Amino acid sequence: MINTILFLFTNFIIVASVFAQTDSTNAATDSIPPDITPSRFTYSLNASFGLTFQNISKSDDETLTTQWLTNVDTRISYDDSTFGLASSLYLQYGQLHNGGLFPEKTQDNLIFSITPSLVILPSWNIRLFLETTAETQMKKGMVDNSDSYFLDPVFLYQTVFIGQKFATSSTDGTGEFALTYGVGYAIQQTITDKFVLKSNRNYIIGPNNPLSAVQSQVTLESGISAVFDLTMRKQIGEKLNLNASIKTVLLGKEETYQDLTKTRASSLILAGISYGLFSIDYTMRLLYDSNYSFRRQLEQSLVAGIRYSL
């Protein structure tokens, strides 16, 4: 999986380079200055919905199955010569409906992030970032054998990191590219109510030994952090658009130096091609957190449906 992610990173960066070179080449050919300029304010909203029906009919049995998935990805960014502010909201939810059975949740992710930044070394384009991100789910589910709920658990982190940010957009509105990366220090908070953390699941939780006696509602940890955030959009026809984004965060806790399992890795990859309202969207959500589970959680989906972009 690490090789796959590195492969995707490399290809997206190559595509971005080709995008920039193509615009520069056309500009030189037409003797017109390049149309790529630093972006001050950008926003985007991409919402997609896909639905699948399946009917199996036999002599003594008939089964109707319906599966649907919706994604909403919203981003807002502002930059000037010294200050920047970026915010994003990602929502994904899907269900499987099998005739006569209770609907089964297939995907459920809610991620909100806000990141102000300040330029500290203009000649090197070095910035100081403060990112605050919250990750949770919207409906009751299960992690291993432990029940999870809306806002229970919530993973919240604040990380101060030093890095670079690049943002360009074409003056005709047909292309955008943004890249942020850096390393720093993070304070991590795992907020729970009824959810039992992995390290406490061997305890017997009951009236004589309530959960509050085993774990606190806020588990506080700290450690190093690394952030990589890439988004790009390119219109290659009157109604044909390409969109891609990658957000990866690695958080190492104090125990990471002795035990590599004491690490949190979170990655979200979105890619899509759309023509008018019709689209094909790929989503990959990777999560590893020893507080939740010692198992890697990987969700991938490829959905053909309708898409609305703003």
Side-chain angles (χ1 to χ4, degrees):
M1 178 51 62
I2 294 177
N3 292 333
T4 302
I5 295 175
L6 292 174
F7 175 77
L8 290 170
F9 285 173
T10 304
N11 278 275
F12 282 134
I13 293 173
I14 291 173
V15 171
S17 301
V18 173
F19 164 73
Q21 293 171 3
T22 301
D23 284 352
S24 300
T25 303
N26 292 338
T29 302
D30 299 335
S31 300
I32 299 176
D35 63 349
I36 300 297
T37 57
S39 175
R40 295 182 60 88
F41 177 79
T42 60
Y43 67 92
S44 65
L45 185 151
N46 294 295
S48 62
F49 178 81
L51 183 66
T52 302
F53 290 97
Q54 183 181 37
N55 181 261
I56 301 176
S57 181
K58 299 180 180 178
S59 59
D60 58 349
D61 185 30
E62 183 172 355
T63 303
L64 176 63
T65 301
T66 305
Q67 184 172 358
W68 59 272
L69 177 67
T70 185
N71 291 279
V72 177
D73 182 28
T74 303
R75 293 174 179 263
I76 299 175
S77 178
Y78 172 80
D79 283 288
D80 60 22
S81 58
T82 59
F83 176 76
L85 180 65
S87 179
S88 64
L89 173 65
Y90 175 71
L91 180 153
Q92 181 190 53
Y93 189 81
Q95 278 190 345
L96 174 65
H97 299 258
N98 200 335
L101 300 178
F102 193 78
E104 177 185 350
K105 182 175 68 172
T106 55
Q107 282 98 1
D108 188 357
N109 293 289
L110 178 60
I111 305 172
F112 174 75
S113 180
I114 183 168
T115 309
S117 62
L118 184 67
V119 177
I120 56 176
L121 291 175
S123 59
W124 292 86
N125 191 28
I126 301 296
R127 294 185 180 222
L128 178 66
F129 297 84
L130 173 59
E131 177 176 339
T132 300
T133 295
E135 301 181 11
T136 187
Q137 60 181 11
M138 293 168 285
K139 192 175 180 180
K140 181 180 178 180
M142 294 193 71
V143 177
D144 292 343
N145 295 320
S146 183
D147 291 331
S148 57
Y149 307 86
F150 175 58
L151 298 179
D152 181 21
V154 176
F155 177 77
L156 178 68
Y157 74 85
Q158 295 87 29
T159 176
V160 177
F161 66 95
I162 294 177
Q164 291 183 309
K165 179 177 182 179
F166 304 95
T168 62
S169 62
S170 57
T171 55
D172 59 2
T174 60
E176 295 175 357
F177 175 84
L179 172 64
T180 300
Y181 64 92
V183 294
Y185 189 81
I187 297 176
Q188 310 168 51
Q189 301 144 69
T190 305
I191 304 171
T192 60
D193 182 18
K194 300 177 182 179
F195 182 80
V196 183
L197 298 179
K198 176 63 180 178
S199 57
N200 298 325
R201 291 174 193 164
N202 292 329
Y203 293 97
I204 299 176
I205 308 298
N208 298 325
N209 188 30
L211 180 60
S212 58
V214 176
Q215 72 181 35
S216 60
Q217 290 187 318
V218 179
T219 302
L220 186 64
E221 299 164 297
S222 61
I224 59 174
S225 63
V227 178
F228 182 92
D229 190 0
L230 168 69
T231 62
M232 60 179 297
R233 178 184 65 85
K234 180 63 177 177
Q235 181 179 345
I236 57 178
E238 182 179 356
K239 296 183 179 181
L240 186 61
N241 290 276
L242 298 176
N243 294 272
S245 67
I246 301 172
K247 176 68 179 287
T248 297
V249 179
L250 301 176
L251 298 173
K253 306 172 186 179
E254 293 178 354
E255 302 90 347
T256 301
Y257 304 103
Q258 291 81 31
D259 186 357
L260 290 178
T261 63
K262 303 298 183 180
T263 304
R264 178 182 172 91
S266 174
S267 184
L268 177 65
I269 298 178
L270 307 175
I273 180 171
S274 61
Y275 183 83
L277 289 177
F278 299 97
S279 69
I280 298 177
D281 295 287
Y282 170 77
T283 303
M284 191 279 280
R285 168 69 171 155
L286 173 67
L287 176 63
Y288 174 78
D289 189 331
S290 57
N291 284 336
Y292 293 169
S293 174
F294 286 136
R295 300 175 180 176
R296 176 207 65 189
Q297 300 177 52
L298 175 64
E299 299 174 356
Q300 297 184 83
S301 60
L302 183 63
V303 179
I306 58 174
R307 181 187 183 98
Y308 175 76
S309 300
L310 180 64

